[in-house]
Amino acid sequence: MPLATWIKAGTSATALVLAMAGTASAAPTTPTATAQPGAQAAVVTLRYDDSRAAGWEAAIAAGVASWNASVTNVRLVEAAPGGAAEIVIVATSGWPQATLGPVRPGRQVRVELGSQAVNDGYNKTRIAAHELGHSLGLPDTKPGPCSQLMSGSSAGTACTSAVPNATERSRVQSYYANALAASVVTDGRILVDAP
């Protein structure tokens, strides 16, 4: 093969590699949906920032773990320090409250974990999981039994269950089906969880 042909082929290959590298670097740095191996639908990843929720870290981690174990098409992950987050969690002195979702990737809701509920004897992990449930689109189901996570304070202070029931899991699954929550329209109401 003549030298000119080799040079031409090498130049074309280099241009192709550089073009592909440019395409790869233009991809979003924070993907919001990832395919699970063997799964048919993509998983929506929602980031949470609990950097302003001092004293609630263990309860938040347990609440997040409860949701991640209960649903398959939405995953809650801690945001990188200073990074963007769809769910902003803060500690307050009032009653717990949250913006009603379902939050979508790139949008934002707020969760306030209020110490007033803890002072009155409510379980921190149940509070955190309940408020995260609001972010995922679930309203309160008051009054309700302890077996309903979204029954919140109406289940009483003896209730420590932080696990969503089958109906709650199914609703969240449907809100994030096919990696989208677009079919659900919410008004962004703030739900205050006082008894």
Side-chain angles (χ1 to χ4, degrees), residues 57-73:
E57 296 88 351
I60 293 166
V64 164
S66 177
W67 277 108
N68 285 343
S70 298
V71 293
T72 58
N73 57 9

Side-chain angles (χ1 to χ4, degrees), residues 1 7 15-16 24 37 54 57 66 69 73 78 82 89-90 100 107 120-121 134 139 153 161-162 164 166 173 175:
M1 184 181 296
I7 292 172
L16 178 62
E57 296 88 351
S66 177
N73 57 9
E78 190 169 5
I89 307 171
V90 298
L100 180 61
R107 304 265 176 97
D120 281 8
H134 288 320
S153 60
S161 174
Q173 288 283 99
Y175 293 158

Side-chain angles (χ1 to χ4, degrees), residues 60-195:
I60 293 166
V64 164
S66 177
W67 277 108
N68 285 343
S70 298
V71 293
T72 58
N73 57 9
V74 63
R75 186 122 190 109
L76 303 174
V77 298
E78 190 169 5
E86 285 81 17
I87 304 171
V88 175
I89 307 171
V90 298
T92 69
S93 60
W95 282 98
Q97 57 185 288
T99 310
L100 180 61
V103 63
R104 294 160 179 83
R107 304 265 176 97
Q108 194 174 77
V109 295
R110 181 178 170 98
V111 168
E112 294 184 11
L113 299 175
S115 62
Q116 182 61 48
V118 177
N119 295 343
D120 281 8
Y122 292 97
N123 179 271
K124 280 180 127 178
T125 300
R126 180 172 169 84
I127 294 167
H130 175 92
E131 299 307 323
L132 288 168
H134 288 320
S135 298
L136 297 174
L138 298 177
D140 288 313
T141 55
K142 294 179 180 179
C146 183
S147 61
Q148 291 177 343
L149 177 60
M150 300 315 293
S151 67
S153 60
S154 70
T157 57
C159 180
T160 61
S161 174
V163 178
N165 68 17
T167 301
E168 294 163 334
R169 292 189 304 266
S170 177
R171 287 183 70 185
V172 170
Q173 288 283 99
S174 71
Y175 293 158
Y176 292 94
N178 300 319
L180 296 174
S183 63
V184 179
V185 178
T186 62
D187 58 13
R189 288 179 292 151
I190 304 296
L191 303 178
V192 179
D193 289 302

